[in-house]
Amino acid sequence: MKIYVAYTGGTIGMVPSEQGYVPDAAFANTVSQALVAYQPEHEFSVHCYANLIDSSNATPADWQTIGEDIQSKWAEFDAFLVLHGTDTMAYTSSALAFMFQHSRKPIVVTGSQIPMVKRRNDALSNVFGAVDALIQGPQGVFLFFGGLLLEGARARKVNTSDLQAFQSPNFLPRGTLGIEWNWRKMHLPKAAELIQVPPMQAGVVTLLPVFPGVQASHWQGLLDDKVKGAVLLSYGAGNGPDQNQELLDLLKAANDRGVVIVNVSQCGTGAVAAGTYAAGSALVRAGVISGADMTFEAAFSKLHFLLGLGWQEEAIKQAFATTLAFEIS
Ligand code: ASP
């Protein structure tokens, strides 16, 4: 198998500096040697990005860069490994899942909580597990971390310190790696591979946090003229304050000017069922659509992806009622 490895930055390849950990290009060589020693019968090509980043600095343009990079190597390689920081890994894996829908080749994103330069680390166990998933596992876009192979558009970082830092709260892992792999058998839809890497522009999508006492003035700046999509982080099953008319008017005005507002629960597990409570119905009346059981990372990147493709408001709203990359149950 020919495996392309995109090293984009992240803790996995970081070294200490006076300001704290920073990415290091030398890791590309280290990981390349480790991969060849681990799987000598396979061919690896490690590409070190010119601008290695802490993924906290990632923007939607970086998802586009990774997508274009993989797309340009599509014919030449059988499988793709993306080495990435953990902080925004779930956004990137979601974006890639939308860009490479029903992919006939495996793409796995991974990284580590402890840099490889530390004597005890989780770097190689994650890299080797991800490579095993590429070689033995299913086709599609996944995030591998701490023994779990998660659907790219379902994963979330849930722990700052555990080595099992990612979960997929509303979807079972596709595989779990112990001594051997334990694969989940899934009935997959017969859909054609669809690869689309649209331009992605920072600032077109925003998050709207609901919190006790939230005021319209808090959201006004977030809903500026550039914004075309928003993920509303609601309470429980999709509720927000229905007694704050100014806030509801602001949402309605944004919806009327074509901003697609998607309701995702702050709970992280379970689905939005807005309309169960009056406090949720008010959001529906203001034009907010349901994000069902999507993660907010997936909702955010799905909006970016569809807006990047140039889809119009109604088509985007309809796309949120269907699943493109296993992101909705
Ligand atoms: N701040 C780092 C990053 O996201 C954290 C990590 O990789 O674990 O790049």
Side-chain angles (χ1 to χ4, degrees):
M1 202 179 227
K2 280 185 81 178
I3 302 174
Y4 180 72
V5 184
Y7 168 42
T8 69
T11 293
I12 192 162
M14 287 193 184
V15 289
S17 79
E18 266 167 31
Q19 286 76 42
Y21 285 122
V22 289
D24 182 28
F27 175 72
N29 199 28
T30 314
V31 78
S32 181
Q33 287 173 13
L35 286 167
V36 171
Y38 178 59
Q39 290 282 3
E41 63 277 30
H42 296 277
E43 222 179 284
F44 295 93
S45 172
V46 179
H47 172 59
C48 179
Y49 278 30
N51 181 28
L52 292 170
I53 57 168
D54 183 306
S55 79
S56 312
N57 288 309
T59 72
D62 292 295
W63 312 337
Q64 184 188 338
T65 301
I66 299 169
E68 284 171 349
D69 184 21
I70 294 174
Q71 192 179 26
S72 72
K73 312 283 185 328
W74 199 248
E76 201 187 329
F77 290 88
D78 305 304
F80 299 84
L81 177 65
V82 179
L83 302 177
H84 196 286
T86 61
D87 287 344
T88 63
M89 192 185 285
Y91 289 91
T92 300
S93 66
S94 294
L96 290 172
F98 294 119
M99 291 189 253
F100 295 85
Q101 288 171 37
H102 310 292
S103 161
R104 295 285 173 258
K105 296 183 179 183
I107 302 172
V108 176
V109 187
T110 196
S112 70
Q113 289 276 67
I114 309 174
M116 198 170 145
V117 289
K118 289 272 223 173
R119 213 162 278 164
R120 184 179 65 81
N121 66 74
D122 56 337
L124 284 187
S125 59
N126 283 339
V127 170
F128 292 166
V131 164
D132 284 355
L134 290 174
I135 295 169
Q136 303 170 41
Q139 301 160 340
V141 180
F142 302 97
L143 185 154
F144 178 82
F145 213 94
L148 299 177
L149 186 70
L150 307 171
E151 216 66 55
R154 287 288 195 160
R156 313 198 50 208
K157 185 172 180 182
V158 294
N159 205 305
T160 61
S161 53
D162 262 21
L163 300 187
Q164 209 166 56
F166 286 81
Q167 268 177 19
S168 172
N170 290 324
F171 206 72
L172 289 170
R174 193 68 88 83
T176 46
L177 181 58
I179 293 177
E180 299 292 342
W181 276 102
N182 186 5
W183 302 111
R184 176 187 177 196
K185 287 189 184 60
M186 255 176 77
H187 179 72
L188 297 171
K190 279 201 175 57
E193 182 177 82
L194 183 61
I195 301 176
Q196 303 170 98
V197 183
M200 306 236 212
Q201 205 192 336
V204 173
V205 181
T206 193
L207 293 178
L208 299 174
V210 173
F211 51 89
V214 61
Q215 308 287 302
S217 57
H218 293 131
W219 286 358
Q220 226 124 33
L222 292 170
L223 285 167
D224 67 19
D225 290 346
K226 201 178 167 199
V227 166
K228 297 203 173 74
V231 180
L232 186 142
L233 300 170
S234 62
Y235 298 133
N239 305 314
D242 67 336
Q243 316 263 300
N244 185 334
Q245 197 52 46
E246 221 191 319
L247 203 64
L248 295 170
D249 289 346
L250 183 72
L251 289 177
K252 174 107 183 33
N255 176 65
D256 289 349
R257 66 165 196 273
V259 179
V260 179
I261 308 169
V262 183
N263 188 348
V264 174
S265 175
Q266 294 175 18
C267 290
T269 308
V272 156
T276 309
Y277 295 89
S281 308
L283 294 176
V284 178
R285 279 196 305 280
V288 176
I289 60 166
S290 172
D293 64 347
M294 291 179 79
T295 63
F296 68 82
E297 294 91 335
F300 185 84
S301 61
K302 185 169 177 174
L303 280 169
H304 261 292
F305 172 73
L306 297 173
L307 287 164
L309 289 176
W311 286 28
Q312 297 303 304
E313 183 194 353
E314 273 318 308
I316 296 177
K317 285 185 172 173
Q318 274 172 27
F320 270 85
T322 52
T323 180
L324 304 178
F326 302 103
E327 75 278 14
I328 304 175
S329 296

